[in-house]
Amino acid sequence: MSRFAEAKGFSVESFSGAGLDKAIGCFDAAVQELIVIDDLLSAMVGIEGRYISIKRVRGKEDHVIFLVDPSMDLALQELAKKIFPLCESFLMINQFVESRSQFKNGLVNHAFAAALRALLLDYQAMVAQLEHQFQLGRLSIQGLWFYCQPMMASMQALSTVIQKASANNFAGSAVLNLLQSQAKAMAGDSAVRSLLEKMAQCASNAYLGILERWVYEGVIDDPYGEFFIAENKSLQKESLTQDYDAKYWRQRYSLKDGIPSFLANIAGTILTTGKYLNVMRECGHPVQVPGSENSKLMTFGSNHHYLECIKAAYDFASSELLNLIKEKYDLIGKLRSIKHYLLLDQGDFLVHFMDIARDELTKKLDDISVEKLQSLLDLALRTTAAAADPCHEDLTCCVERSSLLKRLGTLKDPEVIRTVAESNDLEEPVNITGLETFSLSYQVQWPLSIVISRKALRKYQLIFRFLFRCKHVDRQLCGAWQVHQGVRALNMRGTAISRSSLLCRSMLKFINSLLHYLTFEATLSLIYITPCSQVLEPNWHIMHNRLQTAKSIDEVVQHHDFFLDKCLRECLLLLPELLKKVERLKSLCLQYAAATQWLISSSIDIPKLDELSDGSVGNSRSPSRAVKLTSRNAAVTDSILKFEKEFNAELQSLGPILSSSSQAEPYLTHLAQWILGVGKDQ
């Protein structure tokens, strides 16, 4: 072009200060070309020219358009308009860089803005080179268009990203996801895709720095709240011993929305890794994951090296925490200790306790002294085999204020709530005593409280209360049986007492079948050898074996919770119809046991039934004495027959329920066989 300008007597400098008030159309086409190139070079770096102006769009403060003097040569106008998108992209990117570099916009935006600033420096260097060529007279407008084309697509792609980021006020992972999605959309243009991937890489460096501290140290260093893991500082580890919902482990650290797409498939592993490291830190255990140059999380890409680093960090944190809890804090030993006391694995201490605490336990709730019960419990622990257990001092007693059924509702599990709703017609004791509300508790310290949380302890306590009640019924019936045995030498065969003895035997067989279906020992009863446990002992061994092979603390929690839920269900606590029947049968057994002493004492002077029938009473006693004895015998017989009728009716109604339920709950088959055998003995 310069040759045209020189032909007319012009140079590049000769028009730079002249004719500013003239329309560009007043100049020759060659001169117009020189002026347009000069204005375009200015417009490319956001500066208005003499005949190219910059206007902001009304209502869109961040959007500008470039206008040309309408008198400009039409061919030059068309070429200039082709270059305007590049000029607009530069202004938009430059404005974004300035705004996103502010403190409030977060680390990802800062890093993205820094990468864009570096790109703009290269762009401005290119414009400077073009200007130098122009000053030398070596640049035509067609040449300018030629040199601009390679940058055009890249700058426009970036401006598209910036428009979306600005419109939605994106920050953190949203910026990274936007860059990655735009890069994938540019699959047909390798240069633009490569540029967007580089921008995403640069913008992610700060984010990966946050991630690295989390998976290697368990620390959230996130001043702008950009990380996809949220920390709830209001939840403290001490809450695990108080909170029934065990929120600490699930909600102290949690995933937020807006996870970077390249981390979406491994977000759960990342969350868990940091949680494990945090537990070790709380225990005063070293938490630094062994690192090397190859373990740096400063890049991500198709080689997936960052995924390998995260997996290695997870494996380290998981194994370290598991070993810490198993070895240093003896998780299995603590669970075994809880099994001894709350699941009645070793019942000798409980027998002794029930003997010495009988008077206190039979009081009404308001009259019970928990302190006295605790001292009696301590005495029972110190004078039995439990004294050899180093954990026995963690055992405490408590007296609940509500029945077992109402306490079931505190678990807040959907199935338990349904059970309570279906069983709301279960009879509540009128005069509730310590025998219905006594329970044991256990002091669990951090970090074992992650596994043995307050909610888990509540489930143990529910099982204990059910077993304790069964033990009480068994003891009362054993006492009644001993009373019967005490008058055995009197040869009461054929009297009401012999029938009472059979009823007592049936009740004992029922409660022993139930108790030993539930508990651990197969022992010799007063009447017969009881079957072995089908619930607690087998489930305990399954859980124990699973804990030995668990790979993480979450697996340990899962296996332990599964064990407790399965025991709750198989102990009938989640089967409302069966629970009602069993509780009714136990109530009848207790009523009968309480009446036994009166029944026996009233039967001592009663002659055999065949003597009454043949009138021999009148031969040995006065008529009034015979009438009195006959009347008392009738009352005793009626009472025994009433107990027998009610017990057999409840037992027989239990049979069909057990049989039908055993189809869906196979473990009930054993209980059905044992308990239904009681009815066959009648």
Side-chain angles (χ1 to χ4, degrees):
M1 183 183 79
S2 59
R3 65 179 182 272
F4 296 114
E6 290 171 0
K8 297 292 184 179
F10 288 96
S11 66
V12 173
E13 292 82 6
S14 63
F15 62 85
S16 60
L20 293 179
D21 55 343
K22 295 181 180 180
I24 193 171
C26 298
F27 297 101
D28 184 82
V31 176
Q32 286 188 42
E33 183 176 1
L34 290 173
I35 297 172
V36 170
I37 293 173
D38 190 54
D39 278 6
L40 283 173
L41 290 172
S42 297
M44 287 173 67
V45 291
I47 301 173
E48 283 189 321
R50 288 160 298 197
Y51 299 103
I52 295 178
S53 58
I54 303 174
K55 302 293 183 184
R56 294 199 175 274
V57 179
R58 181 175 298 178
K60 297 182 179 180
E61 295 300 325
D62 58 343
H63 188 66
V64 298
I65 58 173
F66 286 79
L67 302 174
V68 297
D69 189 319
S71 65
M72 184 183 297
D73 182 80
L74 292 178
L76 293 176
Q77 284 191 43
E78 290 302 316
L79 283 170
K81 289 177 181 178
K82 288 183 179 181
I83 299 174
F84 284 167
L86 181 62
C87 305
E88 293 169 2
S89 296
F90 170 82
L91 278 177
M92 189 177 297
I93 295 171
N94 190 60
Q95 183 178 350
F96 181 85
V97 168
E98 294 301 322
S99 63
R100 289 304 186 273
S101 297
Q102 296 176 12
F103 180 81
K104 63 180 181 180
N105 290 301
L107 296 177
V108 173
N109 272 323
H110 292 171
F112 184 32
L116 289 174
R117 185 179 288 109
L119 178 72
L120 291 183
L121 288 175
D122 292 340
Y123 171 83
Q124 289 169 325
M126 180 201 75
V127 174
Q129 290 175 355
L130 290 173
E131 188 171 7
H132 179 65
Q133 293 297 314
F134 177 59
Q135 295 294 336
L136 296 176
R138 299 174 183 173
L139 184 66
S140 65
I141 193 165
Q142 290 86 358
L144 178 61
W145 167 238
F146 174 79
Y147 288 119
C148 287
Q149 286 185 70
M151 289 286 289
M152 190 76 70
S154 298
M155 295 289 280
Q156 284 187 303
L158 285 174
S159 65
T160 300
V161 171
I162 285 167
Q163 278 182 308
K164 293 181 179 180
S166 298
N168 296 282
N169 198 27
F170 281 161
S173 58
V175 175
L176 301 180
N177 289 337
L178 177 60
L179 284 167
Q180 286 198 297
S181 64
Q182 288 297 115
K184 290 178 181 178
M186 292 294 175
D189 192 330
S190 59
V192 174
R193 178 170 183 170
S194 177
L195 174 65
L196 291 175
E197 288 177 346
K198 182 180 179 181
M199 290 291 112
Q201 184 67 66
C202 292
S204 68
N205 285 342
Y207 200 89
L208 291 175
I210 301 173
L211 174 63
E212 185 173 301
R213 288 210 67 188
W214 173 250
V215 298
Y216 287 165
E217 301 176 39
V219 174
I220 294 182
D221 185 9
D222 183 23
Y224 299 97
E226 299 171 282
F227 199 39
F228 64 88
I229 294 175
E231 179 181 9
N232 186 351
K233 294 184 179 180
S234 65
L235 293 176
Q236 300 297 321
K237 63 180 184 295
E238 291 77 14
S239 66
L240 280 170
T241 60
Q242 305 294 330
D243 178 23
Y244 293 142
D245 294 327
K247 292 179 182 177
Y248 178 88
W249 186 242
R250 294 180 292 105
Q251 298 180 17
R252 167 72 181 195
Y253 297 100
S254 58
L255 295 176
K256 298 192 297 188
D257 294 333
I259 300 172
S261 57
F262 65 95
L263 297 175
N265 294 332
I266 202 171
T269 302
I270 293 170
L271 171 66
T272 303
T273 302
K275 284 172 64 176
Y276 290 172
L277 295 174
N278 265 280
V279 174
M280 288 188 281
R281 176 183 293 102
E282 295 277 3
C283 298
H285 189 75
V287 297
Q288 183 67 47
V289 176
S292 65
E293 288 300 319
N294 292 330
S295 64
K296 294 294 183 183
L297 290 176
M298 299 312 292
T299 58
F300 70 90
S302 58
N303 61 0
H304 302 303
H305 174 67
Y306 67 100
L307 297 178
E308 297 173 6
C309 294
I310 293 171
K311 183 64 168 61
Y314 169 80
D315 291 340
F316 169 82
S318 179
S319 62
E320 281 290 302
L321 178 58
L322 198 58
N323 290 335
L324 182 71
I325 286 183
K326 281 186 175 181
E327 304 299 330
K328 181 177 178 179
Y329 293 95
D330 190 20
L331 172 65
I332 302 298
K334 186 68 71 172
L335 289 174
R336 189 176 289 112
S337 179
I338 294 176
K339 169 192 168 189
H340 290 339
Y341 304 124
L342 272 73
L343 301 185
L344 306 188
D345 180 20
Q346 293 180 350
D348 58 334
F349 89 95
L350 187 66
V351 172
H352 185 35
F353 172 76
M354 293 179 78
D355 285 337
I356 61 179
R358 178 178 54 195
D359 293 341
E360 197 68 27
L361 289 173
T362 53
K363 294 179 180 179
K364 294 182 180 180
L365 289 184
D366 295 335
D367 299 329
I368 296 175
S369 171
V370 179
E371 292 77 11
K372 184 175 181 179
L373 285 178
Q374 183 63 52
S375 64
L376 294 173
L377 177 64
D378 293 338
L379 178 61
L381 290 171
R382 289 195 301 269
T383 56
T384 58
D389 181 8
C391 299
H392 78 270
E393 294 182 354
D394 294 328
L395 193 67
T396 60
C397 68
C398 58
V399 177
E400 305 283 359
R401 304 301 301 180
S402 57
S403 66
L404 174 63
L405 182 66
K406 285 187 176 180
R407 184 54 66 184
L408 272 170
T410 64
L411 289 181
K412 301 179 182 179
D413 288 342
E415 187 172 17
V416 175
I417 293 173
R418 178 182 60 80
T419 299
V420 175
E422 293 178 4
S423 304
N424 55 13
D425 59 336
L426 189 62
E427 294 181 8
E428 292 283 343
V430 178
N431 295 318
I432 193 167
T433 67
L435 292 168
E436 288 83 29
T437 58
F438 175 77
S439 184
L440 294 177
S441 188
Y442 208 88
Q443 296 178 3
V444 182
Q445 304 300 324
W446 174 266
L448 294 183
S449 54
I450 294 173
V451 180
I452 313 170
S453 64
R454 184 59 181 158
K455 187 172 185 178
L457 273 177
R458 177 59 69 194
K459 293 178 180 180
Y460 276 115
Q461 288 176 317
L462 289 169
I463 296 171
F464 171 82
R465 289 182 63 182
F466 186 67
L467 297 178
F468 182 80
R469 178 77 165 167
C470 290
K471 282 282 189 182
H472 171 61
V473 173
D474 180 60
R475 283 168 57 85
Q476 296 301 104
L477 288 175
C478 285
W481 176 256
Q482 289 172 346
V483 171
H484 282 88
Q485 295 301 96
V487 297
R488 189 175 182 181
L490 298 179
N491 190 21
M492 305 301 291
R493 193 170 187 178
T495 65
I497 196 170
S498 64
R499 190 153 196 160
S500 175
S501 179
L502 291 174
L503 176 59
C504 186
R505 178 187 177 93
S506 296
M507 288 182 171
L508 264 173
K509 188 173 182 182
F510 159 73
I511 197 63
N512 275 273
S513 295
L514 175 63
L515 195 56
H516 293 287
Y517 157 78
L518 300 171
T519 53
F520 290 85
E521 299 174 349
T523 59
L524 185 64
S525 171
L526 290 170
I527 302 175
Y528 64 100
I529 297 177
T530 58
C532 62
S533 167
Q534 295 294 322
V535 177
L536 299 180
E537 183 67 20
N539 285 328
W540 166 266
H541 282 296
I542 292 172
M543 179 192 71
H544 183 269
N545 293 335
R546 287 175 175 174
L547 294 186
Q548 298 296 336
T549 59
K551 301 297 183 184
S552 70
I553 193 65
D554 279 300
E555 285 188 26
V556 169
V557 173
Q558 180 182 350
H559 294 325
H560 183 241
D561 287 346
F562 180 80
F563 161 73
L564 287 173
D565 291 339
K566 197 165 189 288
C567 288
L568 276 175
R569 186 165 190 83
E570 295 185 7
C571 285
L572 314 181
L573 294 174
L574 302 183
L575 301 174
E577 194 173 11
L578 278 174
L579 184 60
K580 286 190 290 185
K581 290 294 181 184
V582 169
E583 288 300 306
R584 175 59 182 158
L585 282 165
K586 288 195 293 184
S587 179
L588 284 172
C589 290
L590 287 175
Q591 292 173 28
Y592 167 77
T596 298
Q597 190 64 45
W598 173 79
L599 294 173
I600 297 297
S601 62
S602 299
S603 302
I604 294 300
D605 295 329
I606 298 176
K608 297 179 181 179
L609 295 179
D610 55 356
E611 294 177 351
L612 285 173
S613 62
D614 62 16
S616 59
V617 173
N619 298 329
S620 58
R621 294 181 176 88
S622 66
S624 61
R625 179 66 172 169
V627 171
K628 184 177 180 181
L629 291 175
T630 303
S631 175
R632 192 163 65 180
N633 180 48
V636 171
T637 304
D638 288 345
S639 296
I640 293 173
L641 289 175
K642 180 181 178 183
F643 278 121
E644 185 179 73
K645 181 180 179 181
E646 289 188 31
F647 179 76
N648 289 337
E650 291 292 341
L651 198 62
Q652 289 172 7
S653 66
L654 182 62
I657 299 174
L658 275 173
S659 298
S660 60
S661 298
S662 62
Q663 297 177 3
E665 313 285 351
Y667 54 84
L668 293 176
T669 303
H670 301 284
L671 182 62
Q673 292 172 350
W674 298 338
I675 290 183
L676 295 184
V678 177
K680 293 177 182 178
D681 292 341
Q682 294 292 321

